[in-house]
């Protein structure tokens, strides 16, 4: 049943003003041929992107591009946002009924989608861990953009969820020397749980073949540029919203012939685009979550009904940098 007891309705989280959210009843359409009705069990909140959404800081130039799948409302407010929901198919395509699935859908207890827009979760991936699929998809696309090679020295600046997933994928390449760099020493424990080396910026090894920046701070970007070796690439994964960070392009930036390149998950990386669809990439991301160590990235679950009261604190800067998990309960 829906959060309000109506089997024809769900309940959705809406961002309604800076720092404020509310849960609204959402009438559900009758599933048509080829549709599925999904009851949410778990979800994930994007700490970086949704912090900007909650603050009303999505730039006007990005309103169209930032519109997530099945988003409701318009930026800045009110807007129903989010893109990481795990649930169980309750009705629709017979082959999917009872199956756990992942959907790029806002935070909502029950919803109807075309069957081709939900992705079955592999048996090897628990539903709670599957909420990381969107983060893993971003990390996978970034690694494709970065093109690391065997035996490369790699630094990942920013030990948030996406940065750690990028480091995790890079560490799986034979011979790589991967270090996660962050100003918060508390994040070393999470890196260690993934088998990753950790260093503070002041002691991180430089002359790297590749640096990935994911801290969303100007200081982090400066650190990333300082760690890159001659002719190396710094891949920028951070999104700053309306903030215009200072980028230190003086000094040795030109003489060392560094490359600063952006990466964004909205399109499949050019190296894979002729052969990979968005769905194939998401399916691959789910498969890559079959590693129990990745549970270290998940914060304790928050009941869906508690989100309006807790969302501002959830999206405040967090030294642990873990992925906020939503528990929809019996729904």
């Amino acid at each position: 049943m829906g959060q309000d007891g109506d089997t024809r309705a769900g309940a959705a989280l809406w961002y309604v003003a800076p720092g404020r959210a509310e849960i609204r009843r959402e009438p559900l359409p009758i599933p048509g041929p080829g549709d599925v009705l999904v009851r949410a069990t778990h979800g994930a909140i994007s700490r970086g992107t949704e912090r900007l959404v909650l603050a009303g800081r999505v730039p006007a130039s990005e309103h169209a591009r930032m519109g997530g799948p099945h988003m409701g409302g318009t930026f800045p407010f009110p807007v129903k946002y989010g893109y990481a929901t795990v649930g169980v198919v309750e009705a629709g395509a017979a082959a999917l009924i009872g199956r756990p699935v992942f959907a790029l859908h806002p935070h909502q207890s029950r919803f109807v989608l075309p069957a081709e827009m939900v992705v079955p979760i592999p048996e090897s991936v628990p539903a709670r861990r599957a909420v990381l699929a969107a983060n893993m998809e971003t990390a996978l696309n970034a690694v494709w953009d970065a093109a690391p090679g065997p035996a490369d020295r790699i630094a990942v600046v920013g030990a948030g969820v996406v940065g750690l997933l990028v480091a995790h994928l890079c560490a799986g390449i034979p011979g790589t020397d991967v270090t996660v760099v962050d100003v918060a020493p508390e994040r070393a424990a999470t890196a260690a749980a993934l088998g990753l080396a950790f260093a503070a910026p002041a002691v991180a090894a430089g002359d790297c073949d590749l640096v990935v920046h994911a801290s969303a701070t100007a200081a982090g970007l400066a650190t990333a540029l300082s760690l890159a070796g001659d002719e190396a690439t710094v891949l920028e994964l951070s999104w700053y919203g309306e903030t215009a960070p200072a980028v230190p392009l003086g000094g040795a930036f030109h003489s060392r012939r560094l490359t600063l390149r952006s990466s964004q998950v909205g399109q499949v990386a050019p190296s894979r685009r002729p052969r990979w669809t968005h769905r194939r990439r998401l399916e691959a991301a789910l498969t890559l979550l079959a590693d129990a160590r990745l549970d270290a990235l998940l914060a304790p679950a928050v009941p869906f009904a508690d989100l309006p009261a807790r969302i501002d604190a959830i999206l405040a800067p967090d030294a642990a940098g873990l992925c906020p998990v939503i528990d929809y309960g019996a729904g």
Side-chain angles (χ1 to χ4, degrees), residues 77-94:
F77 302 108
V79 63
K80 179 176 72 172
Y81 196 77
Y83 46 79
T85 301
V86 169
V88 176
V89 175
E90 292 191 319

Side-chain angles (χ1 to χ4, degrees), residues 299-324:
V302 176
F304 177 66
D306 293 351
L307 286 180
R310 298 177 61 180
I311 192 66
D312 200 33
I314 289 170
L315 292 177
D318 178 4
L322 302 179
C323 176

Side-chain angles (χ1 to χ4, degrees), residues 118-306:
V118 301
V119 180
I121 296 170
E123 292 183 3
S124 58
V125 180
R128 183 171 179 266
R129 193 188 309 150
V131 301
L132 292 169
N135 298 119
M136 179 62 89
E137 188 179 16
T138 299
L140 175 60
N141 209 59
V143 172
W144 286 344
D145 278 331
D152 276 354
R153 177 184 290 174
I154 301 168
V156 178
V157 180
V161 173
V162 171
L164 288 168
L165 286 172
V166 169
H168 170 72
L169 293 178
C170 289
I173 300 171
T176 52
D177 176 4
V178 181
T179 302
V180 177
V181 181
D182 201 285
V183 296
E186 306 92 284
R187 297 189 177 190
T190 309
L194 298 180
L196 299 168
F198 181 92
V203 296
D207 199 27
C208 291
D209 300 291
L210 168 68
V211 183
V212 178
H213 178 234
S215 82
T217 66
L221 179 54
T223 295
L225 289 167
S226 72
L227 296 178
D230 289 356
E231 305 276 355
T233 291
V234 175
L235 189 78
E236 177 59 277
L237 263 179
S238 304
W239 188 60
Y240 301 87
E242 294 178 334
T243 302
V247 184
L249 299 183
F253 177 81
H254 288 84
S255 62
R256 293 169 59 210
R257 297 176 56 83
L258 300 182
T259 296
L260 179 60
R261 181 181 179 187
S262 67
S263 179
Q264 205 272 343
V265 74
Q267 296 189 61
V268 175
S271 63
R272 301 301 192 278
R273 202 173 298 164
R275 300 171 303 281
W276 284 72
T277 63
H278 284 81
R279 182 181 178 92
R280 182 185 176 194
R281 185 181 64 182
L282 182 54
E283 290 172 341
L286 279 162
T287 300
L288 289 168
L289 293 174
D291 186 331
R293 294 178 298 174
L294 297 176
D295 288 339
L297 298 177
L298 301 171
V302 176
F304 177 66
D306 293 351

